């Protein structure tokens, strides 16, 4: 899985939103277009190859409103699965939101 593959599936609209992701979007005031925009300019900062049912990764992107956004997503059965979405908390992440603090 690479960012190009994620972006291609996003561009094609081949996206599945998990119930968990939808709940987080609503709770955090994040829109689907925020997620798609962030993925379109994002970079993979962590990989989770052993996740079930599909390998996944953490993408750091920026919304159209210039807010950093983390998107946990995976690819399976030719679809992009959006698993979770959140604004990274400054106290948990380095200033560039690419590395966790304390690791």
């Amino acid at each position: 899985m690479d960012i190009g593959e994620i972006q291609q599936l996003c561009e094609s609209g081949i996206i599945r939103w998990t119930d968990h992701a939808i709940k987080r979007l609503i709770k955090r005031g994040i829109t689907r277009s925020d997620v798609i925009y962030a993925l379109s300019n994002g970079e993979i900062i962590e990989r989770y190859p052993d996740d079930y049912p599909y390998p996944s990764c953490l993408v750091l992107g920026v919304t159209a409103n210039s807010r950093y956004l983390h998107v946990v997503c995976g690819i399976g059965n030719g679809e992009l699965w959006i698993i979770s979405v959140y604004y990274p908390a400054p106290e948990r992440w380095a200033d560039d939101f690419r590395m966790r603090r304390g690791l």
Side-chain angles (χ1 to χ4, degrees):
M1 170 179 357
D2 63 42
I3 194 65
E5 188 177 10
I6 291 168
Q7 290 169 342
Q8 181 181 20
L9 289 168
C10 230
E11 227 175 82
S12 302
I14 306 172
I15 305 171
R16 298 284 297 252
W17 301 82
T18 64
D19 289 340
H20 176 81
I22 296 296
K23 288 176 186 173
R24 296 299 168 252
L25 290 174
I26 293 166
K27 180 178 180 181
R28 297 171 177 149
I30 302 168
T31 66
R32 289 182 189 210
S33 59
D34 287 335
V35 175
I36 292 167
Y37 190 90
L39 289 173
S40 74
N41 65 63
E43 66 178 285
I44 295 173
I45 59 170
E46 292 182 0
R47 295 178 186 274
Y48 315 118
D50 299 324
D51 270 3
Y52 178 84
Y54 309 113
S56 66
C57 63
L58 177 62
V59 175
L60 169 65
V62 179
T63 68
N65 293 329
S66 300
R67 289 195 69 185
Y68 286 100
L69 190 68
H70 280 172
V71 181
V72 180
C73 59
I75 296 175
N77 291 332
E79 298 174 303
L80 176 64
W81 289 80
I82 306 299
I83 300 163
S84 193
V85 180
Y86 59 92
Y87 295 116
E91 64 274 7
R92 292 186 176 182
W93 292 89
D95 293 341
D96 64 0
F97 299 109
R98 286 177 175 80
M99 293 189 63
R100 296 174 193 268
R101 291 191 188 272
L103 292 180

